[in-house]
Amino acid sequence: MGKQTLEFEKPIIELEQKIDEMRKLSDQLDIADEIAKLESRVNELRTNVYSNLSRWQRVQLARHPERPYSLDYIGLMTTDFMELHGDRYFGDDHAVVGGLAKLGEETVMVIGQQKGRDTKSNIYRNFGMPNPEGYRKALRLMKLAEKFGKPVVTLLDTPGAYPGIEAEERGQAEAIARNLFEMAQLRVPIVVAIIGEGASGGALGLGVGDRILMLENAWYSVIAPESCSSILWRSWDYKEQAAEALKLTAEDLLRQKIVDRIIPEPLGGAHKDPNFAAQALKKALLEEITSLSKVKPDKLVDNRIAKFGAMGSYSGK
Amino acid sequence: MSWFKRSTKNIISSEKKDLPEGSWVKCEKCGEMLHKSQLEDNMWTCNKCDYHFRIGSKEYIEILIDRKTFKETDKSLRSNDPLKFVDTKSYKVRLAEVEKKTGLTDAIRTGTGEINGHKVVLGCMDFQFIGGSMGSVVGEKVARAVDRAVKLKLPLILISQSGGARMMEAAISLMQLAKTSARLTRLHKAGLPFISILTDPTTGGVTASFAMLGDFNIAEPGALIAFAGPRVVKQAVGKDLPEGFQKSEFLLDKGFVDMIVHRKELKGKMTQLLGLLES
Ligand SMILES: [Zn+2]
């Protein structure tokens, strides 16, 4: 059990604590039956709570402070990870990590947005909010992958691109736009996985690919529910409604044909068993890479442009 | 996350800056009283301070395209409201209201036309339509404009004015950034020019996609051009922003636009550029 409890998890935690207390008493008292009863109740409750999560509750799980981040997945899924640094123009952005690694038998270029876990590492990682040089580093690594014929895997997990003065000066918009343009025509397979928060253009800047995977409790949209609430409802209090309206869960996005495949998480979220989530993701990545590797580069690029070209919903000719 | 915020505040207060009613208009910048006919002759710029009033696709087409050569395309495309989005009002109602008010079917008009005899494919956004936000229709019309330019072997000009991606189509709007940018690779591959004209304001998802991808990025003077709007940046950094931050002149200085062109010189510059490329 983690230290951090979300509001909707409290009934479960309370029951778990009760069971723990009863166990301590069970030397003196014969209460094994009662404990068993409570255990089946807590299991039922868990299944019930986690299979009926509201969209806002999923957003909270996606932001859970113990949720695995890009480097955790890289550590659990790959071997021989060799991190590469810098965009060669300005600097090295710590909110984006990337490098070569072995995924199964396959050498891949893996690139991800990286959050920190405590105050110090969050400052170092800029809370997972990339600056332009983060996107440019990612592009440099993707071009390397193209040169050496290696597939690209990107992991999306960001509350947004950093809205800072220097970020604007150095062309945050241009950096993201350039990545969309270049990723669309990269001549090696790209598999994208949204592992946590997929907030807007900041996430999409690493998000153009041949297959889009999404973890069960991740969210992906044009805006965070709180900001959406503040703009459309002109109040911060409508985040639950905003999350519902935005239809931002993995299931929603599969239905909208934006995501191709949902990666299952352990009951209660990826942080309950990071290795379970990582192995499920690894399996899916390898399957997708294997099937994409058979496609010729020209066809791969054509299909990718057509894939995004099909997104949208309009009527008229 | 937050970059969207400021830009959509623009959406809400868009009425304020739209072309004013009545025959006398006060300049937003210097306060000069200008007669509407004089303003129109001056291409909706202030003759005293050069302030560029915000105008729509109808005016830009008049300014840029030779008379009677503009043929609008894909006019009937309308959003399907794929998410049945409702906030304080339903998106469906919003769309119907703004169409009734503006006579526009979405935030961009596209077509073909001539600029002093040079044939081009043109797209021009309208801020009046839900803050010039990009959803399915803008994405599809830009994509089709690219296809048309490739097919007809013509240069593409896109005039941007936008608060960003349209919230009411959520992730589908976000994907329009990828859709339009991806499609532009085909124009690039065909060796055809893409001229991006950035007007006030061009922010958020439109800046972070096609507007910044021009072979030539050309801005109107004093236009706000940004990823995150100034209010969001100010909130994030907690300090005052530098003078002229995120204005056209700032972007020229930082290397993100090729030139700033006064609206009265826009057609001349386009003619010159197209001539240079064609000969
Ligand atoms: Zn003036």
Side-chain angles (χ1 to χ4, degrees), chain A residues 165-181:
Chain A
I165 293 176
E166 293 80 9
E168 291 287 320
E169 280 181 354
R170 295 198 291 274
Q172 190 72 284
E174 194 274 344
I176 292 170
R178 188 64 52 197
N179 278 17
L180 304 182
F181 185 81

Side-chain angles (χ1 to χ4, degrees), chain B residues 210-229:
Chain B
F210 60 83
M212 267 295 146
L213 291 172
D215 297 309
F216 309 95
N217 290 340
I218 294 169
E220 282 195 342
L224 173 72
I225 302 167
F227 178 62

Side-chain angles (χ1 to χ4, degrees), chain A residues 95-130:
Chain A
V96 175
V97 296
L100 291 164
K102 281 265 189 201
L103 186 74
E105 297 296 303
E106 194 94 40
T107 297
V108 299
M109 185 65 84
V110 57
I111 303 164
Q113 290 147 342
Q114 181 64 39
K115 292 178 175 177
R117 210 165 282 289
D118 52 25
T119 308
K120 198 179 155 202
S121 65
N122 255 320
I123 289 167
Y124 182 74
R125 301 289 179 190
N126 199 31
F127 297 85
M129 294 185 284

Side-chain angles (χ1 to χ4, degrees), chain B residues 27-32 34 46-51:
Chain B
C27 172
E28 296 250 352
K29 197 175 164 195
C30 74
E32 179 82 353
L34 304 159
C46 173
N47 58 5
K48 201 176 165 199
C49 76
D50 276 337
Y51 174 77

Side-chain angles (χ1 to χ4, degrees), chain A residues 159 163 168-171 177 181 200 204 222 231 234 236 245-247 253 256 305 309 311-317, chain B residues 1 3 8 12 76-78 80 83 85 136 140 144 170-171 174 176 179 185 208-209 227-228 233 246 250 256:
Chain A
E168 291 287 320
E169 280 181 354
R170 295 198 291 274
F181 185 81
S200 200
L204 183 67
V222 73
I231 296 162
R234 305 196 194 189
W236 297 97
L246 288 167
K247 299 195 170 63
L253 288 158
Q256 295 162 32
I305 296 170
M311 292 179 190
S313 179
Y314 50 84
S315 55
K317 282 186 292 179
Chain B
M1 175 179 75
W3 61 267
T8 31
I12 286 158
S76 68
L77 295 194
R78 283 179 177 81
N80 274 344
L83 305 180
F85 194 96
S136 296
E140 179 65 15
R144 290 188 188 186
L174 181 63
Q176 305 310 307
K179 173 173 176 168
T185 62
S209 61
F227 178 62
V233 176
Q246 298 179 317
F250 178 88
F256 291 99

Side-chain angles (χ1 to χ4, degrees), chain A residues 278-299:
Chain A
Q279 296 316 316
L281 179 58
K282 179 181 177 178
K283 180 172 170 279
L285 288 170
L286 281 171
E287 284 169 10
E288 300 298 352
I289 288 168
T290 306
S291 86
L292 291 166
S293 299
K294 295 177 191 129
V295 186
K296 294 217 163 65
D298 281 341
K299 184 77 184 148

